[in-house]
Amino acid sequence: MVERANKPSALAATPGLPPQAQVNISDDNSMVTAQLPTGETIEILLHGATILSWKDAAGDEKLWLSENAKLDGSGPARGGIPLVFPVFGTNSGHAVEKLPQHGFARNSRWEFLGKSTSEGATAGVKLDFGLSSQNLDEATRKLWPYAFGLIYSVTLDRESLNTTLVITNDGEVPFEFQTLLHTYFKVNDIESVQVTGLEDSPYVDKLDGLKVKNQSGTVTFTGETDRVYTPAKGPSHPIVISDGGKPRFRIVRDNLDDAVVFNPWVDKANSLADFTPKDGWRKMVCVEPGSVSKWQTLEKGDAFEAAQTIYLE
């Protein structure tokens, strides 16, 4: 064989693909889990498309979930991030008044539509879920007889969690709705929690006859709290949850004008059968971006899109 004077060196090995997020569906097809290459994880229950768990790379849980939360589809899960649609609370005298509290989205079986991943330093993952009027049982369709579609996207990155909801009117007539992301944050001690970003904002006090009041400073907690704020500085201005004097979570809203702040305290927690442990109120606070102080009207063929992004501080 003739030896070439300038024989090329061996080709470099083809570089392997960068690490990708791992996404799994449970054996009983009830839950979707994802883990980033850097260790962050998320768990979503297909019943309600409820986010049950969000952990950082060190395994530190960010969401509060009742030890007695319903995970078998027998009812909505208490804790995590349930989805509220098409009504917040109950609303007598309205077309939704016969629906269960907070509507049917958190108590319906959603479809997992698939995943998409991003590469590079963040290596995030987006999980998509869907619910439509065709997925509802006959009894619910009779109570709310509108053709609709919901696409819920959950994007996990190293230091943030984004939840985006797209609502479409697939029918021939307009409908009205409210929606909210009912986020339960895990904290060390509610009595040392402060919420900023709501200063000088009006709110409806649900514990005081729905009186409209004004927030004069930082929100702190000394008893049961259930308020619907319309933050004065708009959705893009962050709401920050601090715990023990240290910022923990920064929430930025998109097209969600309101924010509900809730803690059940002693008596309310004791009255809720699925709230355990009974002193769990000390370890949680709800700050819930939503569109609930008024009704949104969606015309035939139109869509409404809204989101929250929670950043770890």
Side-chain angles (χ1 to χ4, degrees):
M1 183 173 68
V2 176
E3 189 72 21
R4 287 182 292 167
N6 297 309
K7 184 172 66 173
S9 59
L11 292 173
T14 302
L17 292 173
Q20 295 285 311
Q22 299 298 312
V23 177
N24 295 291
I25 302 175
S26 62
D27 291 340
D28 61 357
N29 200 34
S30 68
M31 191 176 304
V32 177
T33 61
Q35 181 171 1
L36 300 186
T38 44
E40 294 81 3
T41 61
I42 195 166
E43 298 178 3
I44 299 106
L45 188 69
L46 286 175
H47 186 81
T50 301
I51 301 173
L52 300 178
S53 173
W54 169 31
K55 294 179 181 178
D56 64 17
D60 182 26
E61 179 63 65
K62 307 304 176 184
L63 302 177
W64 183 88
L65 182 69
S66 170
E67 293 177 0
N68 200 29
K70 297 175 181 178
L71 305 181
D72 60 357
S74 62
R78 170 76 62 183
I81 309 181
L83 274 170
V84 171
F85 176 87
V87 60
F88 172 63
T90 57
N91 209 297
S92 60
H94 195 273
V96 298
E97 67 177 344
K98 294 182 180 179
L99 289 175
Q101 178 168 319
H102 295 337
F104 52 73
R106 66 179 187 152
N107 200 24
S108 297
R109 168 78 182 199
W110 290 61
E111 296 181 59
F112 177 48
L113 303 178
K115 67 170 183 176
S116 56
T117 58
S118 59
E119 299 178 4
T122 56
V125 62
K126 180 166 78 78
L127 308 172
D128 292 325
F129 303 86
L131 178 70
S132 72
S133 43
Q134 297 177 343
N135 300 120
L136 302 181
D137 58 47
E138 184 177 352
T140 303
R141 286 200 300 269
K142 285 182 178 180
L143 296 177
W144 206 71
Y146 301 102
F148 70 93
L150 303 180
I151 300 293
Y152 184 49
S153 299
V154 177
T155 303
L156 175 65
D157 284 306
R158 289 192 63 183
E159 296 182 350
S160 69
L161 179 68
N162 174 274
T163 54
T164 298
L165 183 65
V166 178
I167 304 165
T168 57
N169 183 346
D170 300 333
E172 297 298 318
V173 297
F175 60 76
E176 293 184 317
F177 70 92
Q178 298 170 327
T179 188
L180 176 132
L181 298 160
H182 199 316
T183 312
Y184 288 73
F185 290 95
K186 185 178 181 181
V187 298
N188 292 319
D189 180 5
I190 186 62
E191 293 186 77
S192 68
V193 167
Q194 295 182 323
V195 180
T196 57
L198 301 174
E199 296 82 0
D200 302 316
S201 300
Y203 67 89
V204 174
D205 192 338
K206 297 180 70 178
L207 303 179
D208 191 11
L210 302 180
K211 290 181 181 178
V212 178
K213 303 178 180 180
N214 197 73
Q215 184 65 41
S216 60
T218 299
V219 179
T220 57
F221 300 86
T222 57
E224 183 181 352
T225 303
D226 196 353
R227 303 171 181 173
V228 181
Y229 286 85
T230 302
K233 295 183 179 180
S236 61
H237 185 76
I239 300 171
V240 177
I241 302 172
S242 297
D243 190 1
K246 297 180 180 179
R248 291 278 310 283
F249 305 100
R250 176 167 48 96
I251 307 159
V252 176
R253 297 162 292 129
D254 183 1
N255 205 26
L256 295 172
D257 290 337
D258 307 311
V260 174
V261 177
F262 170 74
N263 183 280
W265 220 254
V266 179
D267 292 343
K268 181 73 171 181
N270 283 329
S271 73
L272 298 170
D274 60 349
F275 193 102
T276 53
K278 288 305 177 185
D279 64 352
W281 58 270
R282 294 184 179 276
K283 301 294 185 181
M284 54 75 61
V285 65
C286 288
V287 179
E288 315 162 28
S291 181
V292 297
S293 60
K294 58 185 178 181
W295 293 93
Q296 296 283 347
T297 300
L298 206 57
E299 301 290 340
K300 171 186 175 181
D302 283 352
F304 173 91
E305 181 173 353
Q308 72 168 349
T309 304
I310 306 167
Y311 298 94
L312 300 179
E313 295 288 87

